[in-house]
Amino acid sequence: MNLSKIVIAIDGYSACGKSTTAKEVAKILGYRYIDSGAMYRAVTLYFLDHHVALTNPKEIHRALQQINISFKINAKGITETFLNGLSVEEEIRQMRVSEQVSPVSAIKEVREAMVAQQRKLGKERGIVMDGRDIGTVVFPQAELKLFMTADMMVRAFRRQREWLDQDRLVDLDDVVENIKKRDLIDTTRAESPLRQAEDAVVIDTTHITIDEQVDEVVRMAFSKIVSMRKTTR
Ligand code: DC
């Protein structure tokens, strides 16, 4: 095993800064970043575009066999999500997908397919993966597990600003509504609900900046790598 390559699992509620932190940490450590939420979003987009009935297991099974999700780093160094060979990075962030992604990701068969793919992607280690069940289900052996949380209004403001940066005007009440709905479904679903792993470190991002979040995680990762080196000497 290459000791300088650990698995970092970042879980937590929607819009707490998980992916921004994960991307930056991966860049600093020279690790691969995998956005597991983007995979559930890509499945949701496919289901919407192909009118897959969420209550029909046969249709779901058939659809999942038609779906191929991959990631590529574009010329700007940004990771883009591809669905069956086409970049869907922008489409999967739209409200119509955000509104349906939690019910879709609560489906057992969808989760099984995504978890299998996520484990494959993490085989080579040296990855930072963010999501809802990474430290609990996908990589229960991850060397570093983080659980991110933040005040609801701070999360909603941040998400609204992200959309504004892309010239998309979204009402704050709609953002709050969407986040609340997703939190509820994500934490109460039967299949691997969002919960904090026992050995996860909690990071509350309400009063800290992205830079502070990133510094903290990088510091924890280095300290983990150093302590692992010491124990194998
Ligand atoms: O991280 P995100 O907001 O893009 O995730 C979108 C949805 O996908 C989220 O509401 C719940 C689901 N999800 C999940 O169930 N498990 C994961 N590992 C990642 C995301």
Side-chain angles (χ1 to χ4, degrees):
M1 182 171 81
N2 184 345
L3 277 190
S4 62
K5 291 200 166 179
I6 63 169
V7 172
I8 303 177
I10 305 184
D11 289 306
Y13 298 99
S14 304
C16 284
K18 295 187 302 292
S19 59
T20 316
T21 307
K23 266 180 224 165
E24 208 46 42
V25 169
K27 210 191 278 172
I28 293 169
L29 296 176
Y31 280 14
R32 195 157 176 223
Y33 164 61
I34 307 285
D35 176 353
S36 71
M39 298 170 74
Y40 289 98
R41 285 172 180 272
V43 171
T44 305
L45 178 65
Y46 185 94
F47 281 15
L48 285 171
D49 287 351
H50 292 81
H51 311 288
V52 176
L54 303 191
T55 45
N56 186 332
K58 263 193 191 155
E59 268 188 40
I60 291 170
H61 179 77
R62 207 175 311 131
L64 284 170
Q65 289 181 322
Q66 306 298 317
I67 294 176
N68 178 33
I69 300 166
S70 56
F71 294 101
K72 276 184 207 150
I73 300 176
N74 68 19
K76 289 183 191 157
I78 296 165
T79 305
E80 279 188 44
T81 312
F82 282 72
L83 171 63
N84 295 337
L86 288 178
S87 175
V88 290
E89 192 51 40
E90 274 189 23
E91 264 187 288
I92 60 170
R93 310 289 163 193
Q94 287 172 358
M95 203 45 131
R96 75 176 181 117
V97 174
S98 296
E99 275 169 2
Q100 285 304 314
V101 66
S102 284
V104 170
S105 57
I107 299 169
K108 188 170 188 256
E109 205 168 4
V110 170
R111 301 209 69 79
E112 282 169 358
M114 292 306 108
V115 169
Q117 209 169 321
Q118 287 152 8
R119 287 189 179 142
K120 258 191 218 159
L121 289 166
K123 245 189 178 162
E124 312 221 323
R125 311 172 57 74
I127 61 155
V128 185
M129 192 178 287
D130 73 329
R132 304 292 185 290
D133 60 343
I134 311 304
T136 50
V137 175
V138 183
F139 297 120
Q141 312 296 340
E143 287 85 358
L144 181 57
K145 297 181 189 175
L146 304 165
F147 189 85
M148 288 175 72
T149 173
D151 173 81
M152 169 63 74
M153 285 318 285
V154 170
R155 291 159 62 197
F157 276 127
R158 286 178 184 160
R159 190 45 54 96
Q160 190 192 37
R161 207 174 45 213
E162 263 174 37
W163 276 328
L164 269 180
D165 288 345
Q166 298 163 21
D167 294 327
R168 282 149 65 191
L169 198 60
V170 185
D171 192 74
L172 188 65
D173 289 343
D174 291 343
V175 182
V176 171
E177 192 58 28
N178 175 253
I179 293 179
K180 277 189 182 163
K181 241 193 231 161
R182 284 168 57 195
D183 277 359
L184 183 70
I185 302 179
D186 295 347
T187 52
T188 57
R189 69 187 177 210
E191 291 301 319
S192 37
L194 167 65
R195 62 178 177 81
Q196 185 193 326
E198 266 174 32
D199 49 351
V201 178
V202 178
I203 302 185
D204 185 333
T205 70
T206 308
H207 301 294
I208 58 174
T209 63
I210 292 290
D211 283 351
E212 287 168 330
Q213 280 161 228
V214 171
D215 284 355
E216 181 69 4
V217 180
V218 169
R219 194 190 53 73
M220 283 191 263
F222 276 132
S223 127
K224 196 81 207 178
I225 292 165
V226 168
S227 73
M228 282 167 63
R229 277 188 192 279
K230 277 187 190 153
T231 52
T232 53
R233 242 185 234 152

